[in-house]
């Protein structure tokens, strides 16, 4: 290293406040990730875990490389592989310098690595969120060679662990059974969690995981990291246990069919890998991530949300202006904020009367809506109800005017028969003209109808049989550039309509990631709205997503009571998709009261700390609670599932309360003229008692598919 560079390095390390000039510290209030700069200029990870004093790190010297390369001496899965202009398929990344600065709650760190033989650099970025104890990391790759360099692997993050044993919790599923939770012990070799679906990427696998270190973790015990990738496209996690029981976790874009030709001076920026470390179980990890999402990722994360009534179950695609106006009145009667018009309102040459036609032709169907959308917005407004609308802007039916006019805008293979998913194809968002078109759908809708207060953005097809005429000889850029094109459209929408609520939907929960939440206010977890199934689905999402992102609607699906279905919806962002005019008088009264009750408790549910008390995976019941920041109020949800004769439930120990405070226990959301059967209803207990002794919420004869919501409010004696 040149003398000036040595002086610069010394100054940078001094400014960062280092007493150990060979170490780089990535720290939050409770967590530390520590790297060592070796004499060989290699940067190695020497620690990850609870934050220690600086003196405790002085003897940590043995570690693994921060960003393993391919082609020289690494014998394991690399984080990066590049082929240079001369055909050399190797990299040697050595330390050049690092920068670190702190602004309010965030500490920024950049570690620059360079290849000594080629003009090739990798910058590894970290943002440590001190209060939330969350770390975000990503890489930037660039070079100054004369021609493009081919990248075949380009991870966002590589983390090393030496716990000896590892348990991986992953979330998988299918349509209508999303985020089913499974845990397994990792053995020697490689396990991958990945998606190659392009658009509806979470169809089978979700890009979230929990890695327990040393032993399986419970809600309140065990060391672990909970991690996820901020990327609405193909992803891949590689978990490699070596011969010494060391573990490497590589996270990033799935490089399948995605060799990237990086032009000179172009910067390839990977998605962000976001993770939190917990030494006291999964519950703390979830609370860390929920706070981080609300404060730093989710659009308007701490703002109020609207309760809506959707027309899909009431009408499907068969409706007219008069029928919708009747539904506005039902929304007003129910007391919700907004009416959402779902699929079926568009298309004239090819009207959208089912899923076989019309996608791409976003003009109101004149036969159904002779006065257009503007009339609907006006009629809803007269009743004091806001109006929202469904769109699927990235898709096209072959039976559409758009397909006829712009076949070059559609992803489809040359010399092959078209292959459809839900009778549709995907538009080519790598093409700027298509990006303009998709932005124009929203912009035209909002310009003509500025009273629209909500959009449901759907995406019902995965990206298979994909080929872009726009990309020509760079087809391997398709998956990456499509996702970037999607973000480009959303950036434009958000620049012009920064606070318009938009729900993210993809045939159910096919798109649920932290990057998308920067542009959307909530997501649709599943098309399965059976309340019993939803307990498991919403439970799975709760490990990573705060409740104000998880749309949960009261529908007629399933055989449970209206109260049970309503109670399940209340633990998320509640809405309705049901025929209100079919309610009995008692059901209508209950539902109107439920909307008011939800308005009263929603702030606790949306912003409070979540405590999962009893898992439906462990017992035939599910119990969870939310506690507000001041610990002055909490809401507890109790659900009995399909019970068996052997089931006998003990008291439930509460969590998150202040031991010295006193709380009144009161059951809410009861049916009209129905008193609570809870023996402790109305009683006052100390927080210490509730957390050490607990309360009985399974009184009397146990019944399947019953539920309780309990308000726990501080009382000043």
């Amino acid at each position: 290293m040149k003398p000036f560079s040595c002086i610069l390095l010394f100054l940078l390390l001094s400014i960062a406040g280092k007493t150990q000039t060979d170490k780089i510290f990535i720290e939050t209030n409770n967590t530390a990730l520590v790297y060592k700069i070796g004499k060989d200029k290699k940067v190695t990870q020497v620690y990850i875990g609870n934050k220690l004093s600086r003196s405790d790190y002085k003897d940590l010297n043995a570690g693994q490389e921060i960003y393993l390369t391919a082609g020289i001496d690494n014998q394991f899965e690399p984080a990066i592989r590049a082929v240079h202009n001369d055909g050399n398929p190797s990299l040697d990344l050595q330390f050049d310098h690092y920068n670190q600065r702190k602004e309010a709650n965030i500490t920024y760190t950049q570690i620059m690595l360079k290849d000594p033989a080629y003009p090739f650099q990798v910058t590894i970025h970290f943002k440590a969120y001190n209060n939330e104890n969350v770390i975000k990391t990503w890489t930037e790759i660039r070079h100054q060679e004369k021609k493009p360099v081919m990248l075949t692997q380009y991870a966002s993050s590589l983390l090393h662990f030496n716990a000896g044993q590892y348990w991986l919790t992953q979330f998988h599923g299918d349509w209508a059974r999303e985020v089913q939770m499974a845990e397994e012990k990792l053995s020697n070799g490689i396990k991958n969690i990945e998606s190659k679906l392009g658009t509806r990427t979470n169809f089978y696998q979700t890009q979230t995981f929990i890695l327990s270190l040393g032993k399986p973790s419970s809600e309140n015990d065990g060391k672990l990291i909970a991690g996820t990738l901020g990327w609405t496209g193909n992803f891949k996690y590689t978990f490699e246990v070596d011969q010494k029981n060391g573990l490497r976790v590589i996270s990033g874009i799935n490089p399948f069919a995605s060799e990237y030709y990086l032009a000179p001076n172009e910067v390839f920026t990977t998605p962000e890998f976001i993770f939190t470390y917990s030494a006291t179980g999964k519950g703390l990890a979830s609370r860390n991530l929920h706070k981080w999402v609300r404060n730093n990722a989710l659009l308007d994360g701490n703002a109020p949300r609207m309760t809506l009534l959707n027309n899909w179950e009431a009408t499907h695609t068969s409706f007219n202006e008069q029928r919708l106006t009747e539904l506005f009145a039902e929304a007003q009667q129910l007391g919700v904020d907004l009416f959402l018009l779902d699929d079926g309102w568009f298309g004239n040459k090819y009207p959208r009367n089912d899923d076989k036609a019309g996608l791409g032709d976003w003009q109101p169907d004149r036969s159904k809506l002779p006065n257009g959308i503007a009339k609907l917005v006006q009629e809803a407004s007269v009743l004091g109800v806001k109006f929202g609308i469904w769109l699927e802007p990235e898709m096209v039916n072959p039976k559409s005017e758009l397909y006829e006019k712009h076949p070059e805008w559609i992803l489809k293979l040359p010399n092959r028969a078209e292959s459809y998913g839900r009778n549709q194809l995907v538009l080519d968002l790598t093409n700027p003209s298509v990006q303009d078109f998709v932005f124009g759908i929203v912009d035209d809708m909002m310009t003509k109808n500025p009273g629209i207060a909500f959009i449901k953005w759907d995406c019902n097809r995965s990206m298979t049989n994909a080929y872009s005429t726009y990309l020509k000889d760079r087809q391997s850029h398709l998956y990456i550039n499509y996702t970037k094109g999607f973000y480009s459209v959303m950036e434009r929408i958000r620049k012009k309509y920064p606070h318009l609520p938009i729900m993210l939907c993809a045939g159910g929960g096919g798109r649920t990631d932290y990057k998308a939440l920067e542009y959307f206010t909530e997501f649709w977890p599943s098309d399965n709205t059976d309340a019993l199934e939803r307990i498991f689905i919403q439970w799975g999402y709760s490990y990573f997503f705060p409740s104000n992102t998880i749309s949960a609607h009261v529908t007629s699906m399933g055989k449970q009571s209206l109260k049970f279905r309503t109670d399940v919806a209340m633990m998320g962002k509640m809405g309705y998709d049901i025929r209100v005019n079919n309610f009995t008088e008692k059901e209508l009264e209950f539902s109107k009261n439920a909307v008011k009750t939800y308005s009263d408790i929603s702030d606790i549910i949306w912003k409070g700390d979540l405590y999962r008390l009893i898992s439906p995976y462990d017992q035939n019941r599910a119990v969870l609670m939310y506690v507000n920041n001041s610990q002055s109020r909490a809401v507890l949800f109790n659900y009995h599932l399909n019970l068996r004769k052997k089931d006998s439930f003990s008291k439930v120990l509460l969590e998150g309360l202040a031991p010295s405070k006193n709380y009144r226990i009161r059951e809410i959301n009861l049916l009209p003229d129905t008193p609570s059967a809870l023996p402790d209803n109305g009683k006052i207990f100390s927080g210490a008692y509730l957390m050490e002794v607990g309360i009985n919420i399974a009184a009397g004869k146990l019944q399947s598919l019953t539920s309780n919501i309990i308000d726990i409010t501080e009382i000043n004696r």
Side-chain angles (χ1 to χ4, degrees):
M1 186 180 288
K2 295 179 181 180
F4 178 77
S5 298
C6 292
I7 294 170
L8 178 60
L9 173 60
F10 175 78
L11 289 173
L12 288 169
L13 294 174
S14 298
I15 291 170
K18 307 297 180 228
T19 57
Q20 304 173 53
T21 57
D22 65 339
K23 300 277 195 326
I24 304 172
F25 300 90
I26 316 296
E27 294 177 315
T28 68
N29 290 343
N30 298 327
T31 304
L33 175 60
V34 183
Y35 294 98
K36 175 181 170 61
I37 306 164
K39 294 180 180 179
D40 60 356
K41 297 184 180 180
K42 295 294 184 180
V43 179
T44 57
Q45 179 191 318
V46 295
Y47 181 80
I48 184 170
N50 274 343
K51 186 177 180 180
L52 308 175
S53 67
R54 287 295 170 90
S55 61
D56 290 327
Y57 301 119
K58 64 181 185 299
D59 294 324
L60 293 174
N61 295 308
Q64 300 292 324
E65 273 194 64
I66 187 173
Y67 203 65
L68 284 168
T69 64
I72 300 181
D73 56 0
N74 171 38
Q75 299 181 47
F76 299 101
E77 192 73 12
I80 186 170
R81 180 179 180 272
V83 180
H84 300 283
N85 286 181
D86 61 3
N88 189 330
S90 67
L91 279 173
D92 180 17
L93 295 178
Q94 299 181 4
F95 178 76
D96 184 75
H97 68 274
Y98 89 96
N99 302 309
Q100 195 167 71
R101 60 187 173 87
K102 186 172 182 178
E103 293 181 4
N105 183 47
I106 303 172
T107 302
Y108 300 82
T109 306
Q110 297 177 333
I111 303 174
M112 173 72 82
L113 308 173
K114 287 187 176 182
D115 190 308
Y118 291 88
F120 193 103
Q121 307 93 39
V122 171
T123 304
I124 302 178
H125 295 260
F126 299 89
K127 289 176 76 171
Y129 295 80
N130 304 312
N131 296 333
E132 294 88 349
N133 293 295
V134 167
I135 296 174
K136 182 163 66 174
T137 179
W138 70 98
T139 62
E140 290 182 343
I141 304 167
R142 72 189 77 195
H143 70 90
Q144 292 81 39
E145 298 187 30
K146 294 181 179 179
K147 298 178 181 178
V149 168
M150 182 174 70
L151 303 177
T152 63
Q153 286 174 269
Y154 29 80
S156 297
S157 167
L158 169 60
L159 293 175
H160 300 272
F161 301 91
N162 289 288
Q165 295 183 334
Y166 313 93
W167 275 262
L168 177 66
T169 303
Q170 67 181 94
F171 303 85
H172 63 91
D174 196 350
W175 178 80
R177 56 184 187 91
E178 289 84 352
V179 292
Q180 303 299 297
M181 187 167 59
E183 186 173 55
E184 65 178 305
K185 183 180 180 181
L186 293 176
S187 58
N188 291 83
I190 290 178
K191 176 183 175 66
N192 291 327
I193 299 175
E194 61 180 323
S195 170
K196 304 183 182 76
L197 300 179
T199 46
R200 199 176 167 192
T201 50
N202 296 355
F203 195 11
Y204 303 122
Q205 299 289 342
T206 301
Q207 62 262 61
T208 55
F209 69 85
I210 298 171
L211 177 69
S212 297
L213 307 171
K215 64 178 184 179
S217 297
S218 65
E219 280 295 307
N220 298 309
D221 181 62
K223 298 178 179 179
L224 61 92
I225 69 158
T228 187
L229 193 71
W231 182 245
T232 320
N234 292 348
F235 60 87
K236 184 175 183 179
Y237 299 118
T238 297
F239 303 87
E240 184 174 20
V241 180
D242 64 24
Q243 76 286 359
K244 296 181 179 179
N245 283 329
L247 170 66
R248 284 166 293 282
V249 179
I250 300 176
S251 310
I253 295 173
N254 193 337
F256 169 78
S258 296
E259 300 85 8
Y260 196 88
Y261 294 86
L262 185 65
N265 295 309
E266 177 188 359
V267 179
F268 184 94
T269 303
T270 70
E272 297 160 341
F273 177 66
I274 303 104
F275 70 96
T276 187
Y277 174 85
S278 169
T280 55
K282 297 172 182 175
L284 177 62
S286 292
R287 291 187 288 276
N288 288 345
L289 291 169
H290 292 174
K291 290 175 184 176
W292 181 83
V293 169
R294 288 194 300 264
N295 294 335
N296 302 282
L298 176 62
L299 181 67
D300 294 333
N302 291 297
R305 264 60 177 156
M306 290 183 286
T307 303
L308 62 83
L309 173 66
N310 195 346
N311 73 298
W312 181 250
E313 191 165 309
T315 68
H316 293 279
T317 57
S318 300
F319 54 80
N320 56 30
E321 191 175 281
Q322 180 181 351
R323 179 68 182 106
L324 294 179
T325 303
E326 292 170 357
L327 290 172
F328 298 163
E330 292 180 22
Q332 180 196 42
Q333 187 178 26
L334 190 59
V336 298
D337 304 299
L338 178 136
F339 175 85
L340 172 63
L341 174 59
D342 214 296
D343 195 358
W345 58 268
F346 52 91
N348 285 293
K349 182 178 180 181
Y350 302 104
R352 181 73 167 178
N353 295 320
D354 51 38
D355 65 7
K356 296 179 176 61
L359 276 182
D361 302 343
W362 300 102
Q363 312 88 26
D365 183 338
R366 288 187 291 271
S367 64
K368 293 179 182 178
L369 307 175
N371 296 298
I373 300 299
K375 179 67 172 178
L376 298 178
V377 176
Q378 179 185 1
E379 291 292 335
S381 178
V382 168
L383 295 174
V385 176
K386 295 181 179 179
F387 182 86
I389 198 162
W390 178 94
L391 296 171
E392 193 174 4
E394 300 164 72
M395 304 290 158
V396 61
N397 284 126
K399 197 173 181 180
S400 68
E401 293 183 80
L402 179 64
Y403 181 92
E404 294 171 348
K405 294 176 181 177
H406 290 288
E408 77 282 5
W409 283 6
I410 298 164
L411 293 176
K412 55 181 180 176
L413 292 165
N415 305 316
R416 302 287 184 193
E418 292 180 356
S419 177
Y420 306 130
R422 202 172 180 254
N423 303 299
Q424 62 195 60
L425 294 164
V426 183
L427 294 177
D428 183 4
L429 274 182
T430 71
N431 186 334
S433 296
V434 177
Q435 294 175 28
D436 290 342
F437 171 76
V438 174
F439 168 76
I441 294 169
V442 177
D443 190 42
D444 183 65
M445 179 70 67
M446 296 302 299
T447 300
K448 293 179 179 177
N449 309 284
I452 289 177
F454 188 94
I455 288 175
K456 179 180 178 183
W457 183 298
D458 215 337
C459 172
N460 281 295
R461 192 197 194 287
S462 300
M463 193 191 297
T464 57
N465 303 286
Y467 179 91
S468 165
T469 57
Y470 176 78
L471 290 176
K472 299 177 182 177
D473 61 348
R474 284 286 189 260
Q475 293 302 312
S476 64
H477 289 200
L478 173 58
Y479 290 116
I480 294 173
N481 286 4
Y482 183 96
T483 306
K484 290 182 176 180
F486 173 65
Y487 293 151
S488 178
V489 170
M490 296 312 302
E491 288 283 353
R492 292 172 65 185
I493 291 172
R494 284 309 175 195
K495 186 176 181 180
K496 190 166 184 180
Y497 308 101
H499 301 291
L500 173 68
I502 306 180
M503 177 197 293
L504 180 62
C505 181
R511 271 180 168 169
T512 52
D513 68 274
Y514 285 2
K515 180 63 178 180
L517 291 185
E518 293 181 13
Y519 307 110
F520 294 85
T521 48
E522 61 196 83
F523 65 87
W524 184 240
S526 176
D527 285 340
N528 186 346
T529 57
D530 180 297
L532 177 60
E533 298 289 342
R534 268 302 186 105
I535 288 172
F536 289 89
I537 291 170
Q538 292 169 211
W539 191 274
Y541 280 117
S542 77
Y543 284 92
F544 285 83
F545 296 94
S547 60
N548 63 342
T549 66
I550 304 171
S551 297
H553 291 180
V554 181
T555 77
S556 59
M557 186 181 290
K559 299 179 180 180
Q560 307 88 21
S561 68
L562 178 62
K563 172 176 166 52
F564 187 88
R565 286 176 275 145
T566 304
D567 287 355
V568 171
M570 277 193 176
M571 70 169 164
K573 192 261 177 184
M574 187 177 74
Y576 286 82
D577 190 348
I578 197 167
R579 297 184 177 185
V580 177
N581 62 346
N582 287 347
F583 282 171
T584 65
E585 185 176 337
K586 190 173 183 179
E587 287 174 333
L588 180 59
E589 183 183 356
F590 166 75
S591 297
K592 291 167 65 175
N593 290 335
V595 171
K596 295 176 183 177
T597 298
Y598 186 69
S599 177
D600 177 53
I601 63 176
S602 59
D603 206 53
I604 304 166
I605 297 166
W606 295 342
K607 301 177 187 178
D609 283 336
L610 168 64
Y611 294 87
R612 291 179 293 263
L613 304 180
I614 298 175
S615 170
Y617 286 90
D618 298 332
Q619 298 184 23
N620 280 327
R621 62 172 171 170
V623 187
L624 66 155
M625 63 185 290
Y626 299 91
V627 183
N628 68 6
N629 291 336
S630 64
Q631 298 176 297
S632 63
R633 196 176 181 195
V635 180
L636 182 143
F637 294 87
N638 173 51
Y639 307 105
H640 289 169
L641 311 182
N642 285 318
L643 304 182
R644 301 178 64 186
K645 288 185 178 181
K646 68 177 182 62
D647 287 322
S648 176
F649 297 144
S650 60
K651 286 187 174 183
V652 175
L653 303 181
L654 308 192
E655 296 181 32
L657 303 175
S660 60
K661 291 184 176 183
N662 294 306
Y663 298 91
R664 174 174 282 123
I665 305 300
R666 181 174 63 93
E667 184 173 5
I668 58 176
N669 211 43
L670 292 160
L671 292 168
D673 303 318
T674 304
S676 173
L678 297 181
D680 293 331
N681 191 54
K683 293 183 179 180
I684 298 173
F685 303 95
S686 71
Y689 179 94
L690 293 172
M691 293 189 289
E692 295 297 329
V693 179
I695 58 173
N696 185 359
I697 52 175
K701 184 180 179 181
L702 299 181
Q703 296 183 49
S704 294
L705 304 178
T706 56
S707 55
N708 313 91
I709 302 179
I710 300 172
D711 184 303
I712 304 165
T713 301
E714 179 185 359
I715 298 297
N716 294 318
R717 285 182 163 177

